[in-house]
Amino acid sequence: MKFIKYISAAFLIVAIVSCKPKTKSMQVPVVGFVDAFEDATISQARTGFTDALKKNGFSEEKKTVQIEYSNAQGDIPTLTQIVNHFVSDNVDLLATCTTLSTVTALQKTKTIPVFAMVSPTPERMKVLDASGKGPANLFGALEELNYIDTSFSIIPKLLKPKGAKLVIGMIYNQSEPQSADALDRIKSLAAKLNVEIIALPLNTSADAQLVTQSLLDKNIDAFFANPDNTVFASFETILKNCNQKNIPIFTSEAGLVKRGAVAAFGADIYQWGYQAGEQAAQYLKTHKTDGIKAEMVKIRKRVYNPEAAKKYNITIPSNFEAVK
């Protein structure tokens, strides 16, 4: 299987190199869009980004922009190759989706504007310089951790523990800064809420089945899906195992509610991408970054999944809206 994976990555790299943007000949701006991995929820950010460009007059159909899209499929060497390719071709801007894409882009260029989405603040990405400043070429829409408090705090209000206290299980990726930071924050919050956290590391989506089953054997009351790329990629596996054990899933990511989690207070992934796209369009109109700066994601939603709520007989507060 590893041999097949390497062959696939090699073919992807060849495909990337063979699809060189024609910036000079086409005389239209070229956007290098970098996705770290394939995921149904995360892909909504790309749709939002391109929709924002279209609204502002940058459309591939009308040949007013060229969007070169590449997905690393979770392979770090491939991700590096993708970014290196875009940088060497001197694309007009880089659009980066999820933390790994953003960090890699910022490591590879200090001059090409990077418009990030589904990524945390510079502090959480650990890309601050010696003076504590973020990269000068970082723009787009970023996220902090404050919203997680709201997402997590609702669980004790909706569930009764099977034992003396509520036990919530989590899976986290030690190599992802936002995942480790979120776990630390949740542990601190859980202590104040008299909630016990049982967390197990998950480094690749291939291990999701085994790790989830191990977590479910620890008699947890609920599962909390934190902001973690590996959790996103493994969510269907996590959901299937939790449903079989009658364990509800809560999350801080609105997109996961559509996929089966009970409820969330979190960013709308489509709107997250749209917000970054509006900034990118502003830059493409002038090729100047004056007045543009990285900003916090603006649109967060309280949403719930009616089917999941019914399955677990959970009454959802009236200020939550049902996902469609």
Side-chain angles (χ1 to χ4, degrees), residues 20-41:
K20 185 175 181 178
K22 303 178 180 60
T23 312
K24 302 301 180 183
S25 62
M26 292 186 66
Q27 293 300 310
V28 297
V30 178
V31 174
F33 196 111
V34 188
D35 242 334
F37 63 99
E38 196 76 38
D39 179 80
T41 299

Side-chain angles (χ1 to χ4, degrees), residues 109-147:
T109 179
K110 305 300 180 185
T111 57
I112 299 175
V114 175
F115 290 85
M117 64 205 83
V118 197
S119 300
T121 58
E123 293 84 354
R124 290 173 58 205
M125 287 191 286
K126 295 178 171 49
V127 293
L128 298 178
D129 62 19
S131 64
K133 294 182 179 180
N137 63 327
L138 174 62
F139 305 95
L142 307 175
E143 182 62 288
E144 55 190 1
L145 284 174
N146 292 337
Y147 73 102

Side-chain angles (χ1 to χ4, degrees), residues 247-273:
I247 299 298
I249 299 176
F250 293 84
T251 179
S252 59
E253 309 305 315
L256 294 183
V257 176
K258 291 184 179 180
R259 294 165 66 179
V262 176
F265 172 64
D268 181 293
I269 301 296
Y270 172 88
Q271 293 294 339
W272 198 336

Side-chain angles (χ1 to χ4, degrees), residues 59-288:
S59 166
E60 286 202 295
E61 290 78 8
K62 295 182 179 180
K63 301 187 185 305
T64 51
V65 71
Q66 181 180 349
I67 302 175
E68 293 291 327
Y69 175 78
S70 289
N71 192 311
Q73 303 293 333
D75 186 78
I76 301 301
T78 301
L79 178 61
T80 302
Q81 179 70 30
I82 289 169
V83 174
N84 283 339
H85 167 67
F86 286 149
V87 171
S88 67
D89 280 333
N90 196 30
V91 295
D92 290 87
L93 66 86
L94 286 165
T96 56
C97 190
T98 75
T99 310
L100 290 175
S101 297
T102 302
V103 171
T104 303
L106 293 172
Q107 290 172 340
K108 299 299 180 179
T109 179
K110 305 300 180 185
T111 57
I112 299 175
V114 175
F115 290 85
M117 64 205 83
V118 197
S119 300
T121 58
E123 293 84 354
R124 290 173 58 205
M125 287 191 286
K126 295 178 171 49
V127 293
L128 298 178
D129 62 19
S131 64
K133 294 182 179 180
N137 63 327
L138 174 62
F139 305 95
L142 307 175
E143 182 62 288
E144 55 190 1
L145 284 174
N146 292 337
Y147 73 102
I148 288 182
D149 294 358
T150 304
S151 301
F152 187 85
S153 297
I154 192 177
I155 305 176
K157 298 176 183 178
L158 301 181
L159 287 182
K160 292 182 178 180
K162 289 177 285 190
K165 63 165 58 176
L166 199 66
V167 180
I168 298 177
M170 291 180 61
I171 287 172
Y172 68 102
N173 190 329
Q174 296 166 299
S175 64
E176 290 190 21
Q178 80 274 18
S179 183
D181 288 349
L183 176 61
D184 289 341
R185 188 180 186 98
I186 289 170
K187 282 183 175 179
S188 177
L189 180 61
K192 299 175 183 178
L193 297 173
N194 193 34
V195 172
E196 180 182 353
I197 296 295
I198 298 179
L200 296 180
L202 174 70
N203 295 321
T204 69
S205 56
D207 299 327
Q209 177 87 4
L210 184 62
V211 175
T212 303
Q213 289 179 344
S214 178
L215 185 64
L216 292 169
D217 286 340
K218 299 183 182 298
N219 200 34
I220 62 175
D221 294 295
F223 181 97
F224 186 75
N226 64 320
D228 183 313
N229 293 334
T230 310
V231 170
F232 269 108
S234 320
F235 188 72
E236 273 60 43
T237 298
I238 295 170
L239 178 66
K240 179 181 178 182
N241 283 275
C242 285
N243 281 342
Q244 288 175 345
K245 293 284 188 175
N246 289 313
I247 299 298
I249 299 176
F250 293 84
T251 179
S252 59
E253 309 305 315
L256 294 183
V257 176
K258 291 184 179 180
R259 294 165 66 179
V262 176
F265 172 64
D268 181 293
I269 301 296
Y270 172 88
Q271 293 294 339
W272 198 336
Y274 194 95
Q275 185 178 342
E278 287 189 313
Q279 280 199 11
Q282 183 180 342
Y283 172 76
L284 290 177
K285 290 176 181 178
T286 63
H287 275 75
K288 295 181 180 180

